[in-house]
Structure formats: C-alpha cells, structure tokens
Amino acid sequence: MAKNKEPEVGSSEHKLKIRNIKLSDYDDIFEIMESVYADIGGPWTKKELRSHLNHFPEGQICIEDNGKVIAAAFSLIVNYSNYGDKHTYQQITGDGLLTNHDPEGDTLYGIDIFVHPEFRGLRLGRRLYDARKELCEKLNLRAIIVGGRIPGYKNFAKKLTPRQYIEEVKKKEIFDPVLTFQLANDFHLRKIIQGYLPDDRDSKAYAALLEWKNALYEIEETLFGGNKSLVRVGLVQWKMRNMASVDELYRMIEFFVDTVSGYKADFCVFPEFFNAPLMARYNQNSASDAVRALADYTEEIRAKMMELAVSYNINIIAGSMPKYEDDGLYNVSYLCRRDGTWDYQYKLHVTPDEANYWGLQGGDKLKVFETDAGKIAILICFDIEFPELSRLLADKGVNIIFVPFLTDTKSAFIRVQRCAQARAIENECYVAISGSVGNLPGVENMDIQYAQSGIFSPSDFIFPHDATLAEATPNTETTLIADLDLDLLKRQRKFGSVRNMETRRNDLYELRWLNKKDEDDNH
C-alpha cells in the first residue's frame, strides 16, 4: 500500500480533518499504536478494526493531516447498568471486538484514544474528546464513561494509595499524562477500579473510571405533551386606565391573551395588581377599604382567566390580585394552565407602603410549578429583591422565574430590574418581569406607574452580550414576545465560563427553608 508523504513536523502546512475511521486507515493506526502501546498490548489487529467498523462506525473517529491519520478515538454504546462500575477492559470491549455494542444503550463508552507522538502539542486529543461529546449529544446518550489509565502512579505507588494519587492530580499537585488531560476535559471521577487492565504495570493495574454527563440528555421523547426545550413567553405591559365595568376589564384581558396566543406563545404574563382600575369605583373609601373591595372580584377574575387559558391554549400568569381571607389580606398570583388546572403563589414580602396603606400581609409558602414547559416559579415584585428565594427555586430545578411587578417611579423600577438581572445571572436561569404603565387619578397609592418589561438571561457567550433577551419600550402599553432556549441553560450550567450553581462552597455555608413541611408540600 502506498503511504502518504508525511508532512514536515513543525511546518505550518497542516491540513487537519476530523472524520470517521475507514479500514484503509489501518496502517496509519497500527503505526501510532505500535509506538504508544509497545509495552501494553500493542496495536489493534485488522480483524478487530474491521469488527469495530462493522458494529459502530460512527463511534470510531480520527484526525488526518494531509491525508495521514495522526490521532484516533474508539468507542461503543452500552447499557451501562448491565456492567456497573466493576468491570474489566476486556469485558467492556467484547474482548476487543465490540460485539457487545448496543445501539439501544444509554452510555457512550470510550475504549481508546491516542495521538502520534510527533504531533503532540496540537491539542488533537481535545478535538477528539469534543467530537465524542458531540456524538453523545446527537445520539441523546446519558453520558460518556472511560476507564482512564494512571501511568504516573508508578512513581508514587510506594507512598500514595491510588485514591490519594488521583486527589493530588485533581489538585494539580501531580501531573499524570493521561488523567490530567481527562480531568481537563470535564470528566469527573466515578470510581477507582482494580484489575481493569492487568498488563498495565505503570498504573499498577488500576484505572480511574471517569464520567462526562450529557447536560442535554432527555430521558424520553414523547410524541405529544412533552416538556419543551424552546419556550415562547409573552409579557403584557399593561396600561392602567379608568374602566367603567368588569366587562371592560375582561375585554382588555382577552385582547391581550388573544394577541399573545396568536404568536403561539406558551405563557402570557400580566403585571401585579393589573385589576387595580376597578378600585376607582371606591375612591370615596379609604385605601384599605378600597383594596378589600377589589379583593371581592378576585375569584371571578381568576375563573375568567382559567376560561381564557383553556380556550386560547396558553398558560396565563394572572399578574397578582388581592385576596381577603379570615386572617387578613394577601397579594396572590394565579397560574392558570392551559390544561384546565390552576395554582397560586402568595407574595412573601410586603413593602412598607403595602403594609401601611392596605394592611397587606406576606404569605409563608414558596412554590415550584410543573407546567408543559418545565418547572417555573412566580415571585411577585418585591420578592425578586430577596436572592434567597430565587436560589431555593433554582435548587429545585426552576428554569424560568416570572415576576409580575408594580412600580410608581423609575428608582423603584430600577430595584426590580437590577435584582431580576442579578437573579438570572446568579442562578443561571431566565427571569421575566411584567409591569404596568399609565395613571389612575384619584386612586390612592395607585396613581402613577413606571415600567419597562423585560426578559433576562445568564451572562456568557451563548447569551446576548448584555444578558437581556428582550425589553419593551418604557412606559408604553405593548406586548413583548421572546423565545427562551432551555437547552442553553443546561449548557451554561455544565460548560459556562463560570458556573455559579456548580461551584458553590457547600462545605462553608448552606441555604434552607425553615419550615420543612412547607418545603415538602410545595417544592
């Protein structure tokens, strides 16, 4: 077989190409393996390579330079529960033939990766690992697992156990030519295996079983009704205006629900106290009496919102409304799902004005809501200014926090906006805020409004440069429609430049909900 001319090492005339391995690559692969595995098993045979390609050609990847293979990676798919963490290299590779490859399995198992010694320093191994990760994501496999050699252990075996050695490598106190590279590629130690490769004298027959978890893995794809990866949200920037009747309020509500649902949105979000125009009927009363009179409409409006959610096929966050109970007055937001069910979230923190003018009280439960677009939560206005709440929600898997708000001045609005932006960054989630504009002359404590509704994201390369997905024109009645990509959140949490949720020092501090029963009931 004619050999391709080997490029001059160190020259700038590289022409790299990553592709699947062909049987005709065997001579190049044999040459590399003979060099790097001279003391441990030697090269694959041509029969073994043919078997690899017959069983799983997509999993056998190489990098060529000017037509010559200079690096390669081999893998197969297994149902990992059939093997567990205690297995040998021969068992997991089907005695080197990959006859145990299972197309219906859940795990991509990396069995080999190597680079021609003359081409090291080009970071080719990283390219191969990235290709494996891409394959794992495209095939929707749960994870990549590799049994990593620890050849540097031979120099420390007399004074360190394998676990101690691996810990020192993780802390970068020791460099291991294999393990250091694998850890740098986001693999994490799962278990230490003894007897994995009995002939591996440098590793003393030990191996580090390492795992990379696919953040995009979906357990099951349902044909209808499954959770979405792309969620369309519509915010209503509502104008406060005098309304002569409840029917007029309903006409405006239905107008916006109809408008937002026309864009095939999954959520329509109204602001805090959007029904306040009805308070004008009670101008002659004190502020506390007027808001209690407004509370008389809450159940009726919630029922109307439920009717609209079902008929327009859209989940509605019904802003918030006052609710009067035996023990006091509360501010409540209703989630009206398009499947005909509903739930609610009480405002937990009340402002001094809300307490002084209206006598509002704060609720005592923080809820996570299951929807057909994943887990969401609602924090009403002032609640977004308390970072503990958003962190508790993020810990429970919430991807979107909706914030109906009501602010009278720009300074009040800035508090809500800036805190919402911070919560999105801190918790690697989306935060959508919806507010009111306009005026209500003569309605005490509700006379003027200032708002600029918006949707905020984490701050990293895969998101907008200012961490703002969309923003409405300030102080203008309008809607704001945007798509929220939940897969980007998964990528951020796993591969972001910084990973707030992952790198918290749980050994130094903790955050917990004090009422354990409430947590069990509502999270």
Side-chain angles (χ1 to χ4, degrees), residues 234-348:
L235 306 183
V236 177
Q237 190 157 282
W238 175 267
K239 182 177 180 180
M240 293 292 191
R241 52 167 68 84
N242 288 323
M243 294 183 180
S245 66
V246 178
D247 287 340
E248 187 175 350
L249 177 72
Y250 288 163
R251 281 195 295 273
M252 289 305 301
I253 292 172
E254 186 165 4
F255 165 76
F256 281 112
V257 172
D258 183 23
T259 299
V260 173
S261 68
Y263 290 97
K264 308 299 182 185
D266 297 295
F267 290 93
C268 180
V269 188
F270 286 84
E272 181 182 24
F273 273 104
F274 69 96
N275 62 337
L278 298 178
M279 289 177 70
R281 294 178 163 196
Y282 308 100
N283 281 349
Q284 72 279 7
N285 298 347
S286 66
S288 60
D289 287 341
V291 77
R292 282 162 175 77
L294 182 64
D296 291 339
Y297 295 97
T298 294
E299 285 302 313
E300 178 187 341
I301 296 173
R302 180 197 59 75
K304 181 65 175 178
M305 290 289 209
M306 274 303 313
E307 176 188 318
L308 295 174
V310 173
S311 61
Y312 283 94
N313 190 29
I314 190 168
N315 300 301
I316 299 176
I317 310 294
S320 79
M321 297 180 281
K323 181 180 181 183
Y324 193 70
E325 298 178 351
D326 292 340
D327 60 341
L329 184 69
Y330 297 89
N331 187 355
V332 185
S333 179
Y334 291 97
L335 166 62
C336 301
R337 299 185 185 91
R338 53 185 159 195
D339 66 1
T341 62
W342 61 275
D343 213 325
Y344 58 88
Q345 173 64 57
Y346 281 48
K347 189 173 186 177
L348 303 185

Side-chain angles (χ1 to χ4, degrees), residues 55-303:
H55 286 97
F56 187 33
E58 301 91 340
Q60 321 316 322
I61 306 165
C62 70
I63 298 174
E64 67 171 45
D65 187 10
N66 289 295
K68 177 183 175 64
V69 174
I70 58 173
F74 294 80
S75 60
L76 76 158
I77 298 173
V78 296
N79 186 339
Y80 194 72
S81 62
N82 292 340
Y83 297 89
D85 289 340
K86 192 174 181 180
H87 57 263
T88 67
Y89 185 74
Q90 287 299 106
Q91 290 169 340
I92 204 70
T93 62
D95 291 324
L97 296 172
L98 306 196
T99 51
N100 56 328
H101 169 71
D102 181 2
E104 302 302 317
D106 62 356
T107 301
L108 186 68
Y109 198 104
I111 62 170
D112 213 342
I113 187 168
F114 45 78
V115 176
H116 196 295
E118 295 180 5
F119 290 85
R120 289 174 182 166
L122 296 179
R123 295 184 172 86
L124 302 180
R126 181 174 292 276
R127 295 194 193 203
L128 290 171
Y129 267 103
D130 287 345
R132 270 185 180 168
K133 292 173 185 177
E134 184 179 350
L135 179 65
C136 183
E137 291 174 349
K138 286 182 176 179
L139 296 179
N140 191 37
L141 299 174
R142 181 189 63 81
I144 301 173
I145 289 182
V146 299
R149 300 176 60 228
I150 48 173
Y153 183 55
K154 64 182 178 183
N155 301 318
F156 298 88
K158 291 183 178 180
K159 58 181 180 179
L160 295 176
T161 66
R163 179 168 293 279
Q164 290 171 334
Y165 173 78
I166 290 171
E167 287 301 316
E168 292 301 304
V169 174
K170 287 170 66 175
K171 292 188 293 185
K172 303 189 187 315
E173 296 294 335
I174 295 175
F175 174 83
D176 185 276
V178 175
L179 182 59
T180 297
F181 168 73
Q182 290 169 326
L183 294 175
N185 278 277
D186 297 316
F187 280 76
H188 300 280
L189 182 67
R190 183 180 174 100
K191 187 179 176 62
I192 299 170
I193 307 179
Q194 187 174 14
Y196 184 72
L197 269 172
D199 295 337
D200 186 2
R201 291 176 300 211
D202 289 348
S203 304
K204 304 300 180 184
Y206 287 99
L209 193 64
L210 301 162
E211 182 176 40
W212 176 85
K213 291 185 178 179
N214 178 10
L216 302 181
Y217 174 60
E218 296 289 346
I219 295 176
E220 185 178 352
E221 187 72 25
T222 56
L223 188 59
F224 299 108
N227 283 348
K228 296 170 173 285
S229 61
L230 198 66
V231 179
R232 181 163 294 176
V233 169
L235 306 183
V236 177
Q237 190 157 282
W238 175 267
K239 182 177 180 180
M240 293 292 191
R241 52 167 68 84
N242 288 323
M243 294 183 180
S245 66
V246 178
D247 287 340
E248 187 175 350
L249 177 72
Y250 288 163
R251 281 195 295 273
M252 289 305 301
I253 292 172
E254 186 165 4
F255 165 76
F256 281 112
V257 172
D258 183 23
T259 299
V260 173
S261 68
Y263 290 97
K264 308 299 182 185
D266 297 295
F267 290 93
C268 180
V269 188
F270 286 84
E272 181 182 24
F273 273 104
F274 69 96
N275 62 337
L278 298 178
M279 289 177 70
R281 294 178 163 196
Y282 308 100
N283 281 349
Q284 72 279 7
N285 298 347
S286 66
S288 60
D289 287 341
V291 77
R292 282 162 175 77
L294 182 64
D296 291 339
Y297 295 97
T298 294
E299 285 302 313
E300 178 187 341
I301 296 173
R302 180 197 59 75

Side-chain angles (χ1 to χ4, degrees), residues 403-423:
V403 183
F405 73 94
L406 174 68
T407 51
D408 54 352
T409 65
K410 186 171 183 178
S411 59
F413 162 72
I414 289 294
R415 289 195 297 270
V416 172
Q417 181 198 52
R418 297 288 194 270
C419 289
Q421 290 174 316
R423 302 298 88 84

